[in-house]
C-alpha cells in the first residue's frame, strides 16, 4: 500500500497540520531511511484537541445518546478494523519492525477490543442498590469522567491504543490520544476508521508529537480529567507528578522484568517453547516478556543446551517476510541501549550467547536473540528492563530460593511457573509479587480478566469490568422512601436573653 507522505493530527473531525507547522521524520527500522513526515504537536495543538473533546463531551450527543446507539459505533469500528487489517499490519510492521505475521495477530485483537467493550458496557456496566433500614434506597450510577488523555508506547501501538480507546469511548468519554513518536502510523489508521464510522466531531482526537512537549501538555491540561498511560516506569512517575496540580485520575501500565521459573518436574518441552516465544516474539519489545529465566539446578545444563539450539534457528529478517520470527528493533537509539546492556552483561561476568545476524541486514536495527547465561540476581542485567530480545538465565536450588529470586526485583508485572506439581504451581504463583501469573501456560489472556502490575510495574488494572473503575465516576444517590427522622434544629423555645443594647 502507498504510505502517505505526511501524518497529520486528527482534531475535531479534521486531519490538520500543527498550529506551528512543525514536522519530524519517521524512520523505517529495517532500513533506517525516512518513511514520512509527522506533524509535531505542541501545547496549542493539545489545547485545540482538548477544546474539541470537551465541547463534544459537554454538548455533543456522545455521552447522552442511548447506549445501544453508542455501542453500534463501536461495533462498526471493529468491522472497519477487520476490513483494513492487512493495511494496519503492514503499517505496523513498517513502522515498528514487528514481523508481519505477528502484526496481523495484533490487528485482529484490536478489532476484538472494540467488540468486547461494547458487549461489556451492555452487560457489566452495572450499579448497586441497597435498601437501608426500610427508610432509604441508595444506588450507584457510573458516569463518564470527561476528556480522557491517552498516552501510549511504541510497542504493539495499535493494539495498545485500542485497548484504551475502546473502554474510554464505550463508557461515554471523549478522547485525546497522544501516540508514541516512534510509531505514529497506525494511530492515524484508527482516526480514519473512526472518521469513517461517523462518530460525532471531537469525540476522538489524535495529536502526534514528543512526550516532553505534546505529552506533557496533555498531562497538565486542566480540562483533561484522566490520563491512562502505558510506557516506562520513570515516565509514569513524571506523569503522576505533573498531573498532581490538576488532580487527575491516572492509570499506570509500566515496565517489567518478569521471571519464568522452570522446576525439574515440569513438561520441559512446553516450558522451552513458552520461554523462547515469551521473550523473543514481538522482537522482545514486550512488557510481559519473561526476560528472567530461573531454572532448577538439576536441569540447568540440559535446558540451556536446548535454548541454544532454539535461538540458533530463530528466523531473523525483513519484517515484511511472513517467515520472519525476529525483526529489527524500533529505533537506532533503542538498538544502542539494548547493545549497551549486552556489553554490561559481559562486564558483569555473564556468558553471552547469540547467533550472528545474517548478512545483508546491516542497515536495520537488528539484535539477535541473546541469552545471558550464568547470571545472578545482583547483576544490573538481571534487575533492569532491557526491552529487547535478551533473556537473563540463572539457576535456583529449591522452591524457596526460586520465590526469593523472583521477588528480588523492583518490578511486578508478570510471572510464569512451570511444574507438574499442582499444589506447588498454585503456591509459587501466589507467592510471587506480580499483577499476573501464569502456571504451565504461555502468556495468553482472556479480555475479561484484569491486566496490570504491582510494585514499579504500575498502578491500577485495565481489562474486563476493571476498566470501568477507571473510565467512569461512580456517583451514589440516596433516596428517602420513608420519613426518616431529621434532627429539628431551631425549633426550640424562642430565646429570651436581651441584646447588649437592651440591657
Ligand atoms: P516511554 O515512557 O518512553 O513513552 C511512552 C509514551 O509516553 C510516549 O507516547 C511518549 O511520547 C510519552 N511521554 C514521554 N515522556 C512524557 C512526559 N513527560 N509526559 C507525557 N508523556 C510522555 O515508553 P516507550 O519507550 O514508548 O515504551 C516502552 C515501555 O513501555 C517499556 O518500559 C514497557 O515495559 C512499557 N510497556 C508497559 C506495558 C504494560 O502494560 N505494563 C505495555 C507496553 C509497554
Amino acid at each position: 500500500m502507498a504510505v502517505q507522505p505526511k501524518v497529520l493530527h486528527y482534531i475535531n473531525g479534521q486531519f490538520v497540520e500543527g498550529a506551528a507547522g512543525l514536522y519530524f521524520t519517521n524512520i523505517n527500522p529495517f532500513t533506517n531511511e525516512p518513511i514520512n513526515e509527522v506533524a509535531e504537536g505542541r501545547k496549542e495543538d493539545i489545547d485545540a484537541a482538548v477544546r474539541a473533546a470537551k465541547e463534544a463531551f459537554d454538548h455533543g450527543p456522545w455521552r447522552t445518546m442511548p447506549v445501544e446507539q453508542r455501542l453500534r459505533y463501536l461495533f462498526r469500528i471493529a468491522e472497519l478494523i477487520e476490513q483494513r487489517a492487512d493495511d494496519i499490519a503492514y503499517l505496523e510492521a513498517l513502522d515498528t519492525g514487528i514481523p508481519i505475521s505477528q502484526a496481523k495477530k495484533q490487528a485482529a485483537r484490536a478489532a476484538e477490543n472494540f467488540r468486547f467493550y461494547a458487549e461489556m458496557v451492555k452487560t457489566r456496566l452495572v450499579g448497586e442498590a441497597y435498601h437501608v433500614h426500610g427508610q432509604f434506597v441508595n444506588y450507584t450510577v457510573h458516569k463518564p469522567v470527561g476528556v480522557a488523555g491517552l498516552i501510549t508506547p511504541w510497542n504493539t501501538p495499535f493494539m495498545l491504543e485500542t485497548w484504551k480507546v475502546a473502554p474510554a469511548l464505550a463508557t461515554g468519554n471523549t478522547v485525546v490520544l497522544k501516540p508514541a513518536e516512534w510509531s505514529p502510523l497506525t494511530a492515524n489508521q484508527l482516526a480514519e476508521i473512526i472518521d469513517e464510522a461517523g462518530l460525532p466531531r471531537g469525540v476522538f482526537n489524535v495529536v502526534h508529537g514528543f512526550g516532553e512537549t505534546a505529552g506533557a501538555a496533555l498531562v497538565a491540561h486542566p480540562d483533561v480529567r484522566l490520563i491512562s498511560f502505558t510506557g516506562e516506569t520513570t515516565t509514569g512517575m513524571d506523569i503522576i507528578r505533573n498531573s498532581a496540580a490538576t488532580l487527575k485520575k491516572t492509570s499506570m501500565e509500566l515496565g517489567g522484568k518478569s521471571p519464568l521459573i522452570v522446576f525439574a518436574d515440569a513438561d520441559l518441552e512446553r516450558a522451552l517453547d513458552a520461554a523462547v516465544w515469551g521473550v523473543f516474539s514481538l522482537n522482545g519489545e514486550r512488557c510481559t516478556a519473561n526476560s528472567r529465566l530461573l531454572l532448577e539446578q538439576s536441569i540447568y545444563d540440559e535446558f540451556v543446551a536446548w535454548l541454544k539450539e532454539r535461538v540458533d534457528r530463530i528466523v531473523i529478517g525483513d519484517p515484511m517476510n511472513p517467515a520472519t520470527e525476529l525483526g529489527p528493533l524500533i529505533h537506532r537509539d533503542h538498538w544502542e541501549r539494548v547493545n549497551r546492556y549486552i556489553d554490561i552483561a559481559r562486564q558483569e561476568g555473564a556468558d553471552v550467547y547469540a547467533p550472528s545476524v545474517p548478512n545483508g541486514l546491516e542497515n536495520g536495527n537488528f539484535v539477535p536473540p541473546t541469552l545471558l547465561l550464568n547470571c545472578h540476581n545482583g547483576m544490573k542485567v538481571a534487575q533492569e528492563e532491557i526491552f529487547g530480545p535478551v533473556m537473563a538465565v540463572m539457576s535456583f536450588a529449591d522452591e524457596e530460593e526460586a520465590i526469593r529470586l523472583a521477588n528480588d526485583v523492583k518490578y511486578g508485572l508478570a510471572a510464569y511457573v512451570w511444574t507438574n506439581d499442582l499444589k506447588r504451581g498454585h503456591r509459587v504463583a501466589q507467592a510471587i509479587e506480580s499483577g499476573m501469573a501464569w502456571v504451565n501456560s504461555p502468556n495468553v489472556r482472556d479480555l475479561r480478566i484484569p491486566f496490570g502490575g504491582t510494585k514499579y510495574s504500575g498502578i491500577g488494572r485495565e481489562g474486563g469490568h476493571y476498566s470501568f473503575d477507571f473510565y467512569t465516576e461512580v456517583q451514589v444517590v440516596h433516596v428517602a422512601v420513608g420519613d426518616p427522622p431529621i434532627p429539628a434544629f431551631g425549633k426550640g423555645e424562642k430565646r429570651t436573653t436581651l441584646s447588649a443594647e437592651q440591657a
Side-chain angles (χ1 to χ4, degrees):
M1 74 176 289
V3 179
Q4 290 170 348
K6 283 187 174 176
V7 179
L8 301 176
H9 308 303
Y10 180 69
I11 299 175
N12 206 23
Q14 306 275 327
F15 287 93
V16 292
E17 282 208 324
L22 300 172
Y23 284 88
F24 63 93
T25 304
N26 186 26
I27 305 285
N28 180 337
F30 181 53
T31 61
N32 275 304
E33 284 168 3
I35 299 175
N36 51 14
E37 296 293 303
V38 184
E40 188 198 324
R42 293 286 174 94
K43 183 177 178 304
E44 310 83 85
D45 306 300
I46 291 287
D47 286 349
V50 174
R51 211 177 305 120
K54 183 158 170 31
E55 174 69 21
F57 185 79
D58 289 346
H59 306 295
W62 187 248
R63 169 171 64 103
T64 49
M65 67 176 60
V67 74
E68 287 76 12
Q69 190 183 344
R70 189 178 337 122
L71 300 184
R72 269 202 294 279
Y73 285 107
L74 270 85
F75 285 119
R76 179 75 187 130
I77 295 171
E79 263 171 39
L80 291 170
I81 291 176
E82 275 165 357
Q83 283 170 23
R84 292 189 185 204
D86 286 348
D87 288 354
I88 293 166
Y90 171 81
L91 291 173
E92 194 95 314
L94 180 76
D95 215 9
T96 65
I98 291 176
I100 189 84
S101 58
Q102 298 170 35
K104 280 186 177 164
K105 289 196 182 120
Q106 298 294 320
R109 277 192 58 189
E112 204 41 49
N113 286 339
F114 279 96
R115 212 164 267 136
F116 171 75
Y117 272 107
E119 281 160 8
M120 281 301 281
V121 161
K122 223 170 152 185
T123 54
R124 288 297 302 271
L125 186 54
V126 289
E128 293 178 306
Y130 298 95
H131 285 279
V132 184
H133 311 310
Q135 297 278 24
F136 307 92
V137 172
N138 294 353
Y139 67 90
T140 59
V141 285
H142 287 75
K143 298 178 172 183
V145 181
V147 178
L150 311 180
I151 302 180
T152 48
W154 45 258
N155 66 313
T156 59
F158 191 71
M159 203 289 289
L160 286 177
E161 284 153 14
T162 60
W163 177 239
K164 294 181 189 303
V165 173
L169 291 182
T171 45
N173 300 285
T174 58
V175 165
V176 178
L177 169 67
K178 208 301 278 167
E181 50 271 40
W182 286 350
S183 60
L185 295 187
T186 46
N188 273 37
Q189 285 288 304
L190 187 60
E192 283 178 21
I193 284 169
I194 286 180
D195 198 67
E196 191 178 337
L199 269 72
R201 276 192 310 149
V203 168
F204 176 73
N205 306 271
V206 179
V207 178
H208 294 282
F210 297 102
E212 297 71 15
T213 45
L218 188 60
V219 171
H221 201 297
D223 289 334
V224 174
R225 294 311 314 138
L226 58 84
I227 293 284
S228 175
F229 172 73
T230 299
E232 274 196 29
T233 298
T234 50
T235 314
M237 291 172 176
D238 283 344
I239 289 178
I240 292 176
R241 208 174 294 121
N242 296 340
S243 62
T246 45
L247 210 66
K248 289 182 174 57
K249 270 183 147 182
T250 56
S251 164
M252 295 285 142
E253 299 287 356
L254 309 175
K257 190 77 179 177
S258 303
L260 187 150
I261 302 173
V262 187
F263 288 95
D265 67 359
D267 180 336
L268 297 183
E269 180 73 27
R270 286 181 60 74
L272 180 68
D273 285 344
V276 170
W277 175 78
V279 72
F280 298 125
S281 57
L282 302 176
N283 299 342
E285 296 161 326
R286 173 183 209 139
C287 55
T288 51
N290 45 272
S291 48
R292 287 187 302 150
L293 178 64
L294 276 53
L295 299 172
E296 192 162 0
Q297 256 159 21
S298 60
I299 56 161
Y300 185 89
D301 290 339
E302 190 184 19
F303 206 92
V304 165
W306 293 336
L307 278 172
K308 287 179 176 174
E309 271 178 35
R310 288 295 189 89
V311 298
D312 282 343
R313 291 190 210 163
I314 286 178
V315 183
I316 306 171
D318 181 347
M320 294 304 171
N321 183 338
T324 294
E325 292 173 321
L326 187 83
L329 297 186
I330 179 93
H331 195 275
R332 207 66 185 166
D333 291 355
H334 187 55
W335 177 87
E336 278 169 10
R337 178 188 140 119
V338 173
N339 277 306
R340 251 195 322 273
Y341 270 113
I342 296 173
D343 287 344
I344 290 171
R346 284 198 187 90
Q347 288 156 21
E348 288 184 312
D351 297 332
V352 176
Y353 183 88
S356 48
V357 173
N359 290 336
L361 300 178
E362 292 74 16
N363 292 338
N365 307 322
F366 284 95
V367 172
T370 303
L371 304 171
L372 309 180
L373 301 170
N374 298 320
C375 280
H376 61 78
N377 222 31
M379 292 175 173
K380 211 173 157 88
V381 292
Q383 290 289 322
E384 295 182 11
E385 186 182 45
I386 300 175
F387 217 57
V390 182
M391 181 160 64
V393 186
M394 55 198 111
S395 66
F396 64 86
D398 54 21
E399 183 178 318
E400 198 188 329
E401 189 182 19
I403 294 169
R404 188 174 56 72
L405 292 175
N407 287 338
D408 179 23
V409 68
K410 68 180 179 179
Y411 294 108
L413 189 58
Y416 308 87
V417 183
W418 286 85
T419 173
N420 270 336
D421 177 340
L422 197 61
K423 284 188 197 163
R424 178 156 67 186
H426 287 281
R427 198 166 56 227
V428 174
Q430 291 181 31
I432 296 176
E433 296 157 354
S434 66
M436 300 169 282
W438 281 263
V439 180
N440 296 332
S441 168
N443 177 334
V444 181
R445 209 171 75 73
D446 186 281
L447 291 177
R448 288 170 295 186
I449 57 164
F451 182 97
T454 178
K455 294 160 77 174
Y456 278 58
S457 290
I459 303 176
R461 295 291 179 271
E462 297 189 348
H465 65 81
Y466 297 86
S467 289
F468 299 152
D469 291 344
F470 181 66
Y471 288 108
T472 65
E473 201 68 77
V474 179
Q475 183 189 31
V476 59
V477 180
H478 304 254
V479 183
V481 292
D483 293 317
I486 306 173
F489 274 36
K491 274 188 167 173
E493 291 283 300
K494 202 159 186 233
R495 272 178 294 157
T496 52
T497 24
L498 299 175
S499 67
E501 208 172 273
Q502 288 168 320

